[in-house]
Amino acid sequence: MEEPTTPQISCVSLGMVILDEIRMANQPPLLNVIGGSSTFVTLGLRLFATKSLNPGCLVLAGNDLPSSILEEIQRWHMDHLVVLTSPSQPSSRGLLIYSDSTFGPKTFEYTTPPLRATPDHLSGTSLLTARAFHFFGTPAEILTQVPRLLHLRQQAHVHLPPPLIVWEPLPAACTPANLASFQEACKLVDVFSPNHLELSALFATNGEPQHRNEPLLPTLERWATSLLATGVGPRSTGTVVVRAGADGALALQRGKPSVRVPAYYAHGAEAVVDPTGAGNAFLGGYVVGFLREEGSVKDALCYGAVAASFALEQIGLPGSGVVDAGGWGRLEEFRARVEG
C-alpha cells in the first residue's frame, strides 16, 4: 500500500498506563513493570510504525513517575508523545498476583486511584488529529466521550475525515444487565472488540446460553451477529472483532461472511510466557493494519495477531530493540501461513 504523502498519527489510545507490581509463587516481586491497556495498544501500533504513519501516545503520570519509566517510553522514538503529570496525585499503580508459576489464574487490584484518560486530555495537542482512537471503558463513558472527542476536533478545526473509533469494553461492565447500554453505545463506534470472556459475560446468562458441547467460535459468532443486528457504527457499517486468545480472532460485519484468523502461537507454545496485554496489543496492530490495508478486515486481523505475539513472549513489554525492528518480517510469515 502507498504511504500517505504527509506524516499522520495512526491512532491514540485513551486507555491507561499502569505501573504494576507482579507477584509470583516462590519469586521476588517485580516492581514498576509498565502495563495498562494504552501501553500495549501503543506497542501494537509502534511495531508497524512508519515515518508517515506513527502512533500518538498519551501518558497520564503522577508525581512519582520514575525517570527510568519515562526513559523507557521515550526509547520507542515516537514523534507524538504527550506526557501530562499531575503534581497532586501518584501514578496509576496495580498489584498483579499469579496464583502459580504458569501465568494462569491471577488477581488484579489498583493500589492507587487510577488516572483515567478522557478526550479533554487531548485538547490543545496534535493527538486530536489522529486517524483512529482507542477507547477502554463502559457504555456510559462511550456515550459521553465519543461525542466529546468529535466536538473537540471540530473546535480545533481538524479538517480530516471522521476518525476510526475502536471500543474495548471494561470487563466489569460486561453483564447481561448492561446489554441494552452496550447496544446503544455500539452505534457510536466503528469497531467493538470484546475478548471471548467479555462477550460471554455479556450474553451467557441472557437467554443465550452456550450449549455444553458447542464449539467456542460459532457461539461467539452468534453473539456478535446479535450485536450487529441492533447496529454497530453510525450507519450500521461497523465491525465486531472478537479476540479469543489461543483460538484466534474473528471479525463480523453486517451482511458479510465472518472472517477468522488463528492465533500466531498455538495453545501451549513454549514461546508464550505471559498473556497479559496481548489483547490490547492485538487492537493496536488491528488498527494500523486496517489503516494501511485500505480497510481490509482480514489483513487487519493478521496485523493484530502478529502484534499480540510480541506481547506474549515476556513479562511486560519487549525491549526497545525488538520494538524498533518492527513486526514486518513476522507479518509476512504469518500471512503466508494464513493463506496456505
Side-chain angles (χ1 to χ4, degrees):
M1 143 160 196
E2 291 185 5
E3 286 293 307
T5 55
T6 58
Q8 296 178 330
I9 299 175
S10 57
C11 179
V12 174
S13 173
L14 289 168
M16 295 181 61
V17 176
I18 305 174
L19 302 184
D20 287 328
E21 177 182 338
I22 301 177
R23 298 182 185 176
M24 294 170 286
N26 304 317
Q27 295 189 39
L30 301 175
L31 304 178
N32 290 331
V33 178
I34 307 178
S37 57
S38 177
T39 304
F40 282 96
V41 169
T42 305
L43 167 65
L45 296 166
R46 179 61 181 79
L47 286 166
F48 299 106
T50 62
K51 290 182 179 180
S52 55
L53 194 61
N54 219 315
C57 182
L58 173 68
V59 177
L60 296 187
N63 52 22
D64 60 344
L65 182 71
S67 59
S68 59
I69 298 297
L70 181 58
E71 290 167 2
E72 184 173 349
I73 295 172
Q74 290 171 334
R75 280 195 289 270
W76 284 12
H77 307 298
M78 291 179 291
D79 296 332
H80 308 282
L81 172 63
V82 175
V83 180
L84 300 179
T85 303
S86 171
S88 60
Q89 292 178 272
S91 298
S92 299
R93 292 182 177 271
L95 176 62
L96 185 61
I97 301 177
Y98 289 96
S99 61
D100 55 33
S101 59
T102 66
F103 293 100
K106 61 185 177 183
T107 61
F108 175 84
E109 63 179 83
Y110 291 109
T111 56
T112 63
L115 301 175
R116 297 286 305 277
T118 70
D120 286 292
H121 288 109
L122 307 179
S123 185
T125 76
S126 63
L127 302 184
L128 272 178
T129 66
R131 293 181 61 185
F133 293 89
H134 163 262
F135 286 82
F136 177 68
T138 66
E141 289 168 337
I142 294 301
L143 288 167
T144 58
Q145 291 186 15
V146 170
R148 178 61 177 165
L149 171 68
L150 299 179
H151 176 70
L152 288 171
R153 281 168 60 97
Q154 186 179 40
Q155 276 191 326
H157 305 291
V158 177
H159 301 299
L160 295 170
L164 184 77
I165 303 295
V166 179
W167 176 25
E168 179 182 0
L170 195 71
C174 295
T175 66
N178 287 337
L179 180 58
S181 297
F182 271 90
Q183 292 169 333
E184 192 65 23
C186 276
K187 294 178 172 63
L188 300 185
V189 305
D190 301 291
V191 177
F192 175 59
S193 183
N195 65 27
H196 59 295
L197 299 176
E198 292 155 358
L199 189 61
S200 297
L202 191 59
F203 278 97
T205 58
N206 197 61
E208 279 282 348
Q210 179 178 344
H211 302 299
R212 183 169 298 176
N213 298 320
E214 186 175 5
L216 175 64
L217 291 181
T219 304
L220 297 175
E221 185 169 331
R222 187 176 74 248
W223 288 333
T225 300
S226 176
L227 286 171
L228 287 172
T230 56
V232 176
R235 294 172 297 281
S236 294
T237 56
T239 309
V240 177
V241 175
V242 186
R243 298 162 285 125
D247 289 300
L250 68 150
L252 295 95
Q253 295 172 304
R254 182 184 284 188
K256 297 181 181 180
S258 63
V259 182
R260 301 180 184 178
V261 300
Y264 185 86
Y265 287 121
H267 181 72
E270 291 185 1
V272 176
V273 174
D274 183 6
T276 303
N280 310 125
F282 178 99
L283 283 178
Y286 179 93
V287 169
V288 73
F290 189 86
L291 296 177
R292 284 185 52 82
E293 305 295 339
E294 299 179 347
S296 168
V297 168
K298 184 175 183 180
D299 283 321
L301 291 175
C302 289
Y303 278 74
V306 169
S309 73
F310 283 89
L312 292 166
E313 295 173 340
Q314 65 287 303
I315 298 172
L317 299 169
S320 57
V322 174
V323 176
D324 282 341
W328 303 107
R330 194 174 293 189
L331 176 65
E332 183 178 356
E333 177 267 321
F334 184 67
R335 275 173 153 171
R337 192 197 317 172
V338 169
E339 293 302 324

